[in-house]
Amino acid sequence: MIYIVEDDREIREMIGYALKNSGFEVAGLADGNQLDAAVEVQVPEMILLDIMLPEEDGLAVLRRLREDERTKDVPIMMVTAKTTELDKVKGLDMGADDYLTKPFGIMELVSRVKALLRRSAPRDDEEIIVYAGIMLDVRRHLVSADGRQLELTYKEYELLKYLLKNSGIVLSREKIMDKVWGYDFEGESRTVDMHIKTLRQKLGQNGAHIKTIRNVGYKLGD
Amino acid sequence: MIYIVEDDREIREMIGYALKNSGFEVAGLADGNQLDAAVEVQVPEMILLDIMLPEEDGLAVLRRLREDERTKDVPIMMVTAKTTELDKVKGLDMGADDYLTKPFGIMELVSRVKALLRRSAPRDDEEIIVYAGIMLDVRRHLVSADGRQLELTYKEYELLKYLLKNSGIVLSREKIMDKVWGYDFEGESRTVDMHIKTLRQKLGQNGAHIKTIRNVGYKLGD
DNA sequence: ATAATATGTTATAAATTTATCAAAGAGTGG
DNA sequence: CCACTCTTTGATAAATTTATAACATATTAT
């Protein structure tokens, strides 16, 4: 999902149309307030941000986005009529990833969006992840341990995938909850433990690779 | 290390100068062949690539860089006089990360280089603390002494981490209690001593690096 | 040398954390 | 709606860690 923050409805729709045509999901937003509301609902993959906004200045919005834990790593492209070199330098140095000045070619914009997404995309498009005897094929949605195929439920699969992608790294229960379950969880819950248990069981011998780090979390491998 | 591939010596030196001033290490290269040779020696953090090169076209060089396993993830910024939208789209779609047209402001170039490096930097904050033979890897939650891996309990680990982070500085028992245990403690207690003991034991030879400063507290190193 | 004070060591009970179980709850497809 | 599997949750058991008291040893002051 890409958010386009731009007060001029025509430009917004034009950009939106071009990006949709290239296969992106987009949402047009007229100002910083609408952006805030949208971020509450969903953190986007990318934000196109105009500088000349009616209420709050685009640079101010940029600063807020970079300070917010949720959006501090979201790629941001400034799209604006402000065209002096100093403007660009300011925007880039404040944490924008690209700076495109109006009028711009729509093809260039799309190419730049792609380039930025390419660079920012988490490198997790690996097809097959292997650790020791454990093998997980993302595309085929298959998991095997020592060659023997396993029947994993959805959560078990997602949990194992997350562990595999972060093998060697300690993952706290909160982080696991956040990434695999998709929501912050406060307080106690044995949910993660439970799934770790069934995973260990189903993995048989390889289950021993999932280690408990007391008071911290779990870790796969090393 | 940033490689600047550009046949015009003057431009090359100007860019190099500006980037050096911003604290980067740079190397100027006149064409694709020189670049190949340089990549053999060291894979750079980033490449600035002119399109109009004497022998091989910059786009061809770009394609080769993206096909080469060593350089396929290196950020590349095209810096060129070719200025039509189609040129930009071609460059970006072939895997360039940014496309800057001459003449460009040197400040903008530096800001774009910074922005790109910021985005490309592996954002997993590798935090590994080392003192003498002691090594502590925060993300992996591993501790080793002279290469031999240690099994530390939670408090031992946290205590060692605190000592390592403050190596050379004397830490009173109260301060240690406060920081590692998270609460003020008044009165006597052998708790810290106790953990220091087990740490020294587990660290083996390296345990001697934890020094007792009588009447004051403990200190790691120096 | 002796007393006074500070630190090191030990064993063990208490506290904390994790594993496991069983059962309730939530979805899903027939 | 039922039968089914998957997921969550609270309770309890098991495992591990940690604090602490008691005592030993070391250092400093008198």
Side-chain angles (χ1 to χ4, degrees), chain B residues 163 196 199-200 203 206-212 218-221:
Chain B
L163 288 172
I196 292 279
L199 255 187
R200 278 174 172 158
L203 286 170
N206 289 286
H209 288 125
I210 301 177
K211 279 161 195 143
T212 305
Y218 294 100
K219 186 176 82 163
L220 177 74

Side-chain angles (χ1 to χ4, degrees), chain B residues 153-155 181 183 189-191 194-195 214:
Chain B
T153 70
Y154 177 66
K155 288 281 150 121
W181 272 256
Y183 50 75
S189 161
R190 303 253 58 72
T191 302
M194 164 70 208
H195 285 264
R214 221 181 146 72

Side-chain angles (χ1 to χ4, degrees), chain A residues 153-155 181 190-191 194-195 214:
Chain A
T153 69
Y154 175 66
K155 291 285 178 197
W181 272 257
R190 302 257 58 78
T191 303
M194 192 64 228
H195 286 260
R214 214 149 209 284

